[in-house]
Amino acid sequence: MERFFTLFVASLCAAPLFYFLFFEVTVALNSHATGPDARLGVAYLATWGGFLAAFIGFFVVWFLARYFLVENYIRHLQIFDGIALIIWFILYLNWSDQQEYRLEYADHRAVVEVEMRATQSFLKGAAIDSVLIPQFIGQDLDNPHPDRIRQEGNFVILPWETTPISLKKWHMRVFVHNTPVDFPLDLPKRPQASTDWSAWLTPAAKQEDPLPDGALEHIALRYRFRLIPHGSPD
């Protein structure tokens, strides 16, 4: 029984490696594929072929370990099993932490209020809601407030709010002249209380696209999280 479980765990831990190897090689060899149908075909081949490779790999590892390792190196194989299980568990926790989750409360609804501001010199006479277009990264119900646009000194401020439904992480994206500018929000995974307004934030240092000229100096964002009882007015 000890040998059986040692072989089973070793084969089970090694099988996903065959899947990922087949998947990556298939995608790399077909990187020239163009068009949605061709890319979909590659994805199907890589996925289902990967499952077949994992299935075959399971029995290949079982056979090799059974005839070359288990007799004289069973303790080494058990150490491998333990290390492999720990590594896969850590990888699973990291993967699950990156997955989208629903934000649900029994008696409240979550609301994220956001205010964006820009200097008048940056707007150059254009309406702020035509220059700055907010987007919550996740599934949400947004509620713009163009009627609440106000001016404070040299800044024009655009209020906006959203009811987040699901998300992977707290993240706002503001399209500045159609260029995405990211603002991470410093909130716990599932906030349990309303918060005060944050400080005014400048765009994140790491962006997918180069920042528009002047965005770092002339635009900013602040936010607060609110838990509103069901049936209560905002």
Side-chain angles (χ1 to χ4, degrees):
M1 186 63 70
E2 179 186 12
R3 292 182 177 183
F4 173 83
F5 279 110
T6 300
L7 288 169
F8 179 79
V9 173
S11 302
L12 193 64
C13 289
L17 300 178
F18 288 84
Y19 172 90
F20 291 120
L21 178 63
F22 183 91
F23 188 96
E24 294 297 331
V25 170
T26 301
V27 171
L29 293 177
N30 294 276
S31 59
H32 60 279
T34 59
D37 291 339
R39 290 195 295 269
L40 184 62
V42 172
Y44 273 116
L45 174 62
T47 301
W48 293 108
F51 283 123
L52 179 60
F55 180 78
I56 295 173
F58 178 93
F59 290 102
V60 168
V61 173
W62 182 291
F63 175 82
L64 294 175
R66 172 67 181 84
Y67 288 98
F68 295 101
L69 296 178
V70 76
E71 294 296 334
N72 299 314
Y73 301 99
I74 188 170
R75 297 304 174 206
H76 295 80
L77 198 57
Q78 289 171 341
I79 293 173
F80 165 82
D81 289 351
I83 295 173
L85 286 173
I86 292 172
I87 291 174
W88 282 122
F89 182 69
I90 293 173
L91 290 175
Y92 170 76
L93 291 179
N94 183 67
W95 173 84
S96 62
D97 189 59
Q98 301 299 318
Q99 300 310 298
E100 190 170 275
Y101 63 95
R102 294 188 66 82
L103 194 70
E104 296 177 334
Y105 298 89
D107 303 315
H108 297 77
R109 67 182 178 92
V111 172
V112 177
E113 294 184 0
V114 174
E115 288 190 343
M116 292 152 286
R117 74 180 186 185
T119 60
Q120 296 184 62
S121 60
F122 184 80
L123 297 174
K124 298 178 181 178
I128 188 172
D129 55 345
S130 68
V131 176
L132 306 183
I133 301 175
Q135 180 188 54
F136 181 78
I137 303 301
Q139 186 180 3
D140 71 319
L141 299 172
D142 66 324
N143 187 15
H145 292 296
D147 55 312
R148 300 183 189 176
I149 293 173
R150 67 185 189 274
Q151 185 172 333
E152 292 183 0
N154 188 40
F155 293 102
V156 180
I157 298 176
L158 171 64
W160 182 87
E161 69 180 46
T162 183
T163 298
I165 299 172
S166 62
L167 65 152
K168 291 183 179 180
K169 58 183 178 180
W170 291 102
H171 196 90
M172 280 294 301
R173 177 166 291 163
V174 179
F175 288 88
V176 183
H177 294 301
N178 297 320
T179 299
V181 177
D182 293 335
F183 293 84
L185 309 183
D186 185 17
L187 290 170
K189 185 173 183 177
R190 196 178 301 274
Q192 296 301 312
S194 299
T195 68
D196 295 327
W197 283 104
S198 70
W200 286 102
L201 308 175
T202 55
K206 186 177 180 180
Q207 301 282 336
E208 293 183 6
D209 298 289
L211 287 172
D213 292 338
L216 191 61
E217 299 83 6
H218 296 283
I219 67 171
L221 175 150
R222 70 173 185 170
Y223 63 92
R224 67 176 177 177
F225 177 86
R226 298 177 65 200
L227 283 175
I228 301 175
H230 290 310
S232 297
D234 292 351

